[in-house]
Amino acid sequence: ANNPTFNLEVILRGEDGRLGHIKFRQDVDPSKIIVLDTWVRDLEPNHQYLLQRAVDAANVVDGDCTSTSWLTLGKGLTPQSILTNDNGKGSEELWRDVSTAASGTAFDIHFRIVDASTMAVVLNSDCYQYVVR
């Protein structure tokens, strides 16, 4: 079935088994909020990280993420870091308002996790596709 992809399970990987996961959800509501339930593990303990995304041009969906226009995600337009605990695990519920995008618009998108202090990239995702609900 060729259903539009409103929701994603994004896996981010780094060196030495470092891992991250994003539950990317678009609820059926008129406000067009994407919830990004994000967790990381095996990162530096008691440290802050940021989730970033880059999207290719609207409706140029070829499975090849070429954009490097990284945007730091958070609570809407307010960036929010993900703080790890003593074991290097952390989670944060982030969200983004996509109400400026027309429903049905499709995007190639990829994600990364960066160190909040050095901006060094620690985790990267593959290229995913989603459709604005």
Side-chain angles (χ1 to χ4, degrees):
N2 194 10
N3 294 325
T5 310
F6 298 125
N7 299 320
L8 302 172
E9 298 288 337
V10 177
I11 305 295
L12 302 108
R13 292 190 170 84
E15 292 176 8
D16 304 325
R18 292 174 161 188
L19 201 63
H21 180 260
I22 306 165
K23 232 175 149 163
F24 176 114
R25 294 286 176 271
Q26 296 184 77
D27 289 329
V28 185
D29 67 35
S31 57
K32 290 194 186 174
I33 298 293
I34 296 176
V35 174
L36 301 152
D37 205 353
T38 306
W39 63 260
V40 295
R41 71 169 203 225
D42 297 321
L43 299 183
E44 293 282 325
N46 306 306
H47 200 79
Q48 294 188 53
Y49 292 91
L50 297 169
L51 175 64
Q52 299 185 325
R53 70 93 176 111
V55 292
D56 290 359
N59 296 317
V60 182
V61 177
D62 57 8
D64 181 21
C65 286
T66 54
S67 173
T68 54
S69 299
W70 293 101
L71 176 83
T72 298
L73 298 167
K75 310 273 188 183
L77 295 174
T78 307
Q80 170 67 50
S81 61
I82 301 159
L83 179 64
T84 55
N85 65 13
D86 293 347
N87 299 318
K89 285 185 182 171
S91 65
E92 192 68 54
E93 186 170 286
L94 308 174
W95 59 271
R96 174 132 180 94
D97 181 335
V98 292
S99 56
T100 55
S103 292
T105 308
F107 293 95
D108 275 345
I109 187 168
H110 57 154
F111 299 88
R112 69 185 189 182
I113 298 272
V114 299
D115 184 308
S117 51
T118 67
M119 299 309 280
V121 179
V122 294
L123 300 174
N124 274 301
S125 82
D126 287 341
C127 191
Y128 290 82
Q129 289 74 48
Y130 82 100
V131 175
V132 177
R133 194 187 273 285

